[in-house]
Amino acid sequence: MDKDFVENLLKRVKEAEKDKDTHIPYSTIHGRDPDVEVKYILDKSPELAGAKPAQGMRCDFLYDGDDPLKDGTYSIAPELLDESENVIIDKSLPMEEKGKAYMWVGYGKNRILHKRRLKVGTKGYWVVGSKKLAKVTVTKILGLFESEA
């Protein structure tokens, strides 16, 4: 590798390091509204006792009453909100014990399924593998039906 290439690469890595704790709102990335809003209460399985959930975490969604082994879980990205219902930008802040969040549904057949199942009052869980992280309840339907993206 030539010296200029290596220096440029190191400069880009340093720039990225400055922003590692900054969350870019998914609405900015995707150019659309979130699909639903939920309220959540942390209710970690004992196996997740050491987990430190925060903005940008990856977890799945399990509908209340579904069996994760039979019915499966769904990749729905949560996005945590602060007390004023703004998207939390600082990824280094720990997740509150309870609060509100947006959920972002995927595309295609996954989206069609959730349009049938997600309603105000729908209950479920954020899960990591088969371990429960938080109880969630849908409080608002936002862009689920408006956006096909």
Side-chain angles (χ1 to χ4, degrees):
M1 289 188 216
D2 76 352
K3 185 179 176 183
D4 289 338
F5 177 80
V6 171
E7 285 178 14
N8 188 28
L9 182 59
L10 290 173
K11 181 180 174 184
R12 288 182 15 225
V13 167
K14 248 185 186 175
E15 289 294 316
E17 184 67 23
K18 284 191 251 179
D19 294 332
K20 72 178 173 82
D21 288 331
T22 302
H23 173 74
I24 299 170
Y26 298 143
S27 59
T28 300
I29 294 169
H30 298 297
R32 64 180 179 89
D33 290 333
D35 294 302
V36 299
E37 180 187 271
V38 299
K39 63 180 178 180
Y40 71 83
I41 300 172
L42 272 181
D43 186 25
K44 292 193 256 183
S45 295
E47 298 88 348
L48 297 176
K52 296 179 180 150
Q55 187 69 283
M57 67 182 167
R58 296 288 178 233
C59 61
D60 291 325
F61 182 74
L62 172 68
Y63 284 95
D64 187 40
D66 281 6
D67 177 341
L69 299 176
K70 180 181 159 214
D71 304 309
T73 60
Y74 302 93
S75 179
I76 297 181
E79 187 172 47
L80 305 174
L81 303 176
D82 64 17
E83 292 172 356
S84 300
E85 298 190 14
N86 296 309
V87 173
I88 295 172
I89 303 300
D90 187 346
K91 294 193 298 187
S92 69
L93 296 174
M95 183 176 170
E96 296 291 331
E97 289 294 315
K98 61 183 178 176
K100 289 188 176 182
Y102 293 142
M103 287 196 333
W104 294 79
V105 175
Y107 304 101
K109 289 189 334 186
N110 190 35
R111 191 166 189 78
I112 293 167
L113 172 117
H114 295 300
K115 283 181 177 184
R116 282 187 258 139
R117 293 194 74 182
L118 288 173
K119 300 171 182 54
V120 171
T122 298
K123 296 185 182 309
Y125 303 91
W126 288 335
V127 294
V128 177
S130 62
K131 310 298 184 240
K132 292 178 181 173
L133 176 66
K135 295 177 183 178
V136 302
T137 303
V138 175
T139 55
K140 291 180 189 171
I141 302 297
L142 300 169
L144 182 63
F145 293 96
E146 284 77 33
S147 175
E148 292 298 320

